[in-house]
Structure formats: C-alpha cells, structure tokens
Amino acid sequence: MKFNFVIPKEKSMALLYMLNGTLMGMHCIFLVFFALNHVTVMTVVNIFSIITYLCNFIVLRKQFLRASSIIVFVEIIVHMFLTILCVGTGSGFQQYYIGCAAVIFFMEYFIQRLEKQPANSLLLCAIDGVCYLTSVYLSWTRGARYTLKPLPTMAMQLFNLFVVFVFISIFLLAIMVKTASFYEGELTRQAEHDRLTGMYNRQYMIEYLTNVEHASDRPAYWLSILDIDDFKKFNDRHGHNCGDYVLCEISRIISMQCRKQVSCRWGGEEFLILGHAGSAPEAAQKEAKELLEMLRREVERHSFVYQNQRLVLTITLGMQVFDDSSSIDEWINSADQKLYIGKSSGKNQLVC
C-alpha cells in the first residue's frame, strides 16, 4: 500500500469550480443592487464580471489554473477599486480586499499541488494591499461619484460583512485547515507504516513496545519474529518485483490471521507480531503457540501465483513471552535467537 500525499485532482478542481461559481453568484447580487440604486457604471462593470467568471469556467475546464487565478485576482481588484470610487466605503466593499487575500492563498495552494508551480501569493497580496490603500484614499479625498440611500447602504454593508467574514474568512480557511489536517494525517501514517506493505514499520513497533514495557500486565504479552525462508535465494531467482509481491502477500496473510495482534514489517523479509492474552504467561504461551502455528500452516498451503507461476513459500518463527526480569531489547533478542534455532534446524517451524 502506498500513500498518496496529493488531494485527489477531482476534489481540488471541484473546490475551484465552487469558488468560481460563488464569486459569480455574488456579482449577480451586486448587479441587481447597483441596477436598483441606479449606479450605472457598476451595473455595467458587474455584467462584465459575470461574463468574466463564465469564461473562467472554460479556463478551469482546460486546467489553465495559473491563468484562472490571475483572472480572479484582477477581477476582484478592479471591481473593488471601481466600486469604492463610485459609492465610497460606506457599503463595506473595501472589506473584499481582506477577503481577496484568503482567495489568493486558497487558489495558489491548489495550483502548487496540481501544477507543481511556485506560488506568487505574497506579491499578489502586496498588490492587493496597495490597491486597497489607494482606493480608500481616493474615495476619502475626492468623494464618491454616487450617493446611496442609508437603508441600501446599511443592507449592503451587512451583506458584505457576512460574505467576507463568514464565507471567505471562515469557510475558505476551514477548507485550508482541513486540508492541512489531511496532510498531517498522511505524514503521520507514512512515518508509522511501511511503504511497500502498508503494515506498521519498525519505528512504530519500537515505540509501541516501549509502552508495553511500562504496562502493569507485561507477563501477558508475547512476541514473535517471523522470517520468510530462503527469501534471498528466491528473490535472486525470480526478481525483486516478485519479491515485493511475496512480501505484500505475506503481510496480507499476517494481517488477516493476526487481526487482534499488532504486527509490523521489522525489516527486509522479517515481520514482528505482538500479542496479548489473559493475565498470565501460561495463557500467553498457549495463545501464541496456537495462533502462530496456524499462521505458519496458512503460509505453507497458500497459493502464491506470480505471472502465472506458482510459488511455494514457508516461514520460520521464534516466539517469546515477556519476562519481567528482561528489557525490551532482551525480549526481542530472545525471540530472535529462537528464530535462529528454527532456521538452523530445518526451517518452516515455530520455536517457542
């Protein structure tokens, strides 16, 4: 099992389509607002804005993501600049400059993931800030071209506040946080799992065993080291791809037979299985012997088929119940020594 650290392309594109559609919907609302309040310039501007986002759907469909981000950025900046010059800051349109920063980082993030291109988010945010200060300054010094009535002004101000802080700032940032959590989870999984087989890796098992060492019911734990017999000769004869197939099949069998136990790929062709039974060493010994012998037989009779060629494989196991007088390293070494005894005395056996 391999872990893909890229959010599925279809999901990423769906988010970009959703953003584009939302922005176009907002401009439909602005169009109605400015038309009802006889702000002719902005009515015409919003018609062009809606056409721009319709065209941007085509750009997104062709997956020209960098071009799409520039289109969205330029449209927002130009629209806000002209709006503030026309109706001033009373309607709250200047707040979209703040929201624009969130949109910039949102789009740039997915462009980096999908197109593997460097981001220019900081440059765009700097331009966004300059345009914000310039438009507000011109509005304060020259005055607005159109005068809106108090009620429509307040209504649009509340609407803009809602859009910027609820939709853009919260919704888009929530997506980014969720995305960051996704990658953090994948990083954790990769750190804990073997990349080829998908099983836990040696580092995870060492940390798990450290916790077992401090558990109050340590004598109930047992540990087994499993080795694939003659794997090196087999790997040399049939090739590394076939060897990878065998490792994955063995790991699948272990995972199926040892569902209640913790297992990992210990290294190379070795696997480690950690079990817990009852509250006494006798119970642990009995469970381990029965389970591991069943696992050995399952591998022996399993039909390994690679490229229409049937393969015969066996495994050897060494098992040791935890001893309070032993450390974790001594516990592992004891199981490893029993594995060595099994390997040197005929293989395909369990040594307890």
Side-chain angles (χ1 to χ4, degrees):
M1 182 185 299
K2 295 184 178 181
F3 300 107
N4 186 2
F5 274 41
V6 179
I7 290 179
K9 190 172 184 178
E10 295 77 12
K11 184 176 181 180
S12 299
M13 291 303 300
L15 289 170
L16 293 176
Y17 276 122
M18 181 183 68
L19 174 63
N20 193 75
T22 301
L23 292 172
M24 187 177 72
M26 289 169 53
H27 281 288
C28 291
I29 295 174
F30 294 154
L31 173 63
V32 174
F33 173 79
F34 288 123
L36 291 176
N37 288 276
H38 309 291
V39 183
T40 307
V41 173
M42 293 313 303
T43 301
V44 175
V45 168
N46 276 278
I47 291 174
F48 280 104
S49 294
I50 293 171
I51 295 173
T52 298
Y53 284 108
L54 286 172
C55 294
N56 197 41
F57 275 118
I58 300 175
V59 176
L60 283 173
R61 186 174 182 180
K62 294 182 178 294
Q63 297 187 11
F64 297 148
L65 303 184
R66 178 65 63 185
S68 175
S69 68
I70 297 299
I71 289 171
V72 172
F73 174 75
V74 171
E75 191 285 324
I76 292 176
I77 292 298
V78 172
H79 184 276
M80 292 306 109
F81 196 93
L82 294 176
T83 303
I84 293 173
L85 292 182
C86 286
V87 299
T89 58
S91 300
F93 281 96
Q94 70 277 6
Q95 296 167 105
Y96 286 102
Y97 281 115
I98 301 172
C100 185
V103 173
I104 289 169
F105 282 103
F106 178 83
M107 295 196 67
E108 288 295 317
Y109 177 84
F110 287 104
I111 289 172
Q112 281 187 288
R113 287 295 175 186
L114 295 173
E115 294 189 345
K116 309 298 182 183
Q117 295 182 6
N120 52 13
S121 306
L122 294 178
L123 174 61
L124 295 180
C125 285
I127 296 173
D128 178 60
V130 171
C131 291
Y132 167 74
L133 294 174
T134 303
S135 61
V136 171
Y137 173 78
L138 292 175
S139 174
W140 288 351
T141 55
R142 298 186 178 184
R145 180 173 179 179
Y146 297 88
T147 302
L148 300 179
K149 295 180 180 179
L151 186 58
T153 299
M154 182 178 296
M156 183 51 63
Q157 186 179 61
L158 292 175
F159 174 79
N160 290 335
L161 278 170
F162 174 82
V163 171
V164 172
F165 289 101
V166 175
F167 176 74
I168 296 179
S169 299
I170 295 179
F171 179 69
L172 293 187
L173 290 179
I175 291 176
M176 296 304 295
V177 169
K178 186 175 180 180
T179 302
S181 299
F182 167 82
Y183 282 104
E184 184 178 350
E186 288 297 296
L187 285 169
T188 301
R189 291 180 67 187
Q190 186 186 47
E192 295 179 346
H193 289 75
D194 174 60
R195 191 169 183 84
L196 174 65
T197 64
M199 298 183 77
Y200 287 122
N201 58 23
R202 186 187 188 102
Q203 182 60 40
Y204 174 86
M205 184 60 81
I206 290 174
E207 293 178 3
Y208 195 98
L209 288 171
T210 301
N211 294 328
V212 170
E213 189 174 21
H214 301 291
S216 59
D217 56 347
R218 288 173 294 178
Y221 282 93
W222 57 266
L223 179 149
S224 175
I225 298 180
L226 175 160
D227 184 87
I228 303 174
D229 295 332
D230 299 315
F231 181 76
K232 187 177 186 303
K233 293 180 181 179
F234 172 88
N235 209 25
D236 292 340
R237 187 180 332 89
H238 297 282
H240 292 286
N241 289 337
C242 184
D244 289 346
Y245 159 76
V246 169
L247 289 171
C248 291
E249 279 294 290
I250 292 290
S251 66
R252 187 179 64 83
I253 295 172
I254 293 173
S255 298
M256 290 179 63
Q257 296 292 322
C258 305
R259 290 188 182 94
K260 297 181 180 180
Q261 289 70 39
V262 181
S263 56
C264 80
R265 185 182 178 192
W266 191 241
E269 67 272 22
E270 288 190 343
F271 298 83
L272 190 147
I273 304 168
L274 177 67
H276 180 273
S279 58
E282 294 78 12
Q285 181 88 9
K286 180 180 178 181
E287 179 199 79
K289 188 172 182 179
E290 292 176 355
L291 177 66
L292 296 175
E293 185 60 34
M294 182 168 40
L295 174 62
R296 185 194 64 77
R297 291 196 301 268
E298 178 63 27
V299 172
E300 185 179 29
R301 63 174 176 253
H302 183 76
S303 178
F304 294 90
V305 180
Y306 181 76
Q307 293 183 348
N308 298 321
Q309 182 179 4
R310 191 177 186 280
L311 312 173
V312 178
L313 292 166
T314 60
I315 58 173
T316 301
L317 307 97
M319 190 279 293
Q320 178 65 48
V321 175
F322 188 81
D323 183 353
D324 273 333
S325 63
S326 301
S327 66
I328 293 296
D329 288 338
E330 291 171 335
W331 187 21
I332 296 173
N333 288 335
S334 179
D336 198 37
Q337 288 171 10
K338 291 182 177 180
L339 171 65
Y340 177 77
I341 292 172
K343 299 288 283 188
S344 59
S345 60
K347 304 176 183 177
N348 189 24
Q349 59 184 299
L350 167 65
V351 179
C352 298

